[in-house]
Every structure is written in C-alpha cells, then in structure tokens.
Amino acid sequence: MKRKPTVLSLFSVAGGMDLGFIQAGFDIIWANDFVEDCVKTYSRNINDHIILGDITKIPNSQIPSSADIVIGGFPCQGFSIANPNRKLTGMEDQRNFLYKEMLRVIKHSQPKYFI
C-alpha cells in the first residue's frame, strides 16, 4: 500500500486548504490555529489533530519534525493594500511577523515542499 504524503498545516482556520489536500489524497498529520471556534469547526468537520494555540508559543518539540509538505496562509491584513487601516498599525501589527513562524516550522520539519 502506497503511503500518503504527509502535511503540516499552519494558520488552518476551519480547514479549507486542508480539506482540499485531503480530497487530493494527502494526510494532514498536524494542524494549528489560535481561534477556538475555528479549531472546534475543524475538529468537527475534518479531524481532531488540530492544536489550539498561538504558534509563537508552540515549541518545535510539540510540532512533528518531518512532513512532506507544510501549508499555511499566514495573516496578511497588516501589510495588505486591501486593508485601508494598515498604515494605522504599521510595524506594530504583530501579524506582520507571523511569516517567521512559518519559516521556523519549515526549517524544523524540512518538508519537500511548502505552500
């Protein structure tokens, strides 16, 4: 039996991107979001492998150390031109730095691909 490619999912929200990967034959082995309602929806509709918590506070030791793919859509509201208020928060918007958490997980898990 052929092994399904494994996926780590960051900023998973309710699991829209994850569902697409599952339907394409991938195995989501770990997911994370910090919004409780999103995690409840994900758990109910996809699986309970999602972790509720702030990714900046989750140590590498609690994240699988290998996966074929890392996926995630880190928040862009702080720097997106679609946000007319972005200039009000500027560099103080901590969401602007969450891409670093994605880089940390990619470095930690050494996937073949990341999205």
Side-chain angles (χ1 to χ4, degrees):
M1 179 182 229
K2 188 176 178 183
R3 178 182 75 87
K4 290 182 178 183
T6 57
V7 178
L8 301 181
S9 174
L10 303 176
F11 315 104
S12 305
V13 195
M17 192 182 315
D18 298 41
L19 182 59
F21 270 82
I22 291 166
Q23 291 173 344
F26 293 84
D27 183 19
I28 311 293
I29 59 171
W30 191 87
N32 167 252
D33 203 90
F34 81 115
V35 177
E36 186 174 1
D37 288 337
C38 291
V39 171
K40 287 179 183 178
T41 300
Y42 188 109
S43 293
R44 189 173 304 121
N45 293 323
I46 295 179
N47 201 325
D48 63 358
H49 56 247
I50 189 166
I51 304 301
L52 173 65
D54 179 345
I55 191 64
T56 65
K57 294 180 175 41
I58 297 174
N60 286 348
S61 62
Q62 294 180 13
I63 300 171
S65 60
S66 66
D68 297 309
I69 302 171
V70 172
I71 64 174
F74 51 84
C76 64
Q77 295 93 330
F79 55 84
S80 173
I81 60 171
N83 177 5
N85 297 319
R86 74 184 181 284
K87 292 179 182 173
L88 299 176
T89 58
M91 294 304 287
E92 290 87 46
D93 192 329
Q94 294 304 303
R95 296 174 297 185
N96 290 346
F97 304 98
L98 288 172
Y99 75 91
K100 291 181 179 182
E101 295 303 316
M102 184 127 179
L103 291 174
R104 173 179 66 95
V105 172
I106 290 167
K107 184 176 180 182
H108 167 71
S109 63
Q110 295 292 300
K112 295 173 186 166
Y113 307 98
F114 61 90
I115 298 171

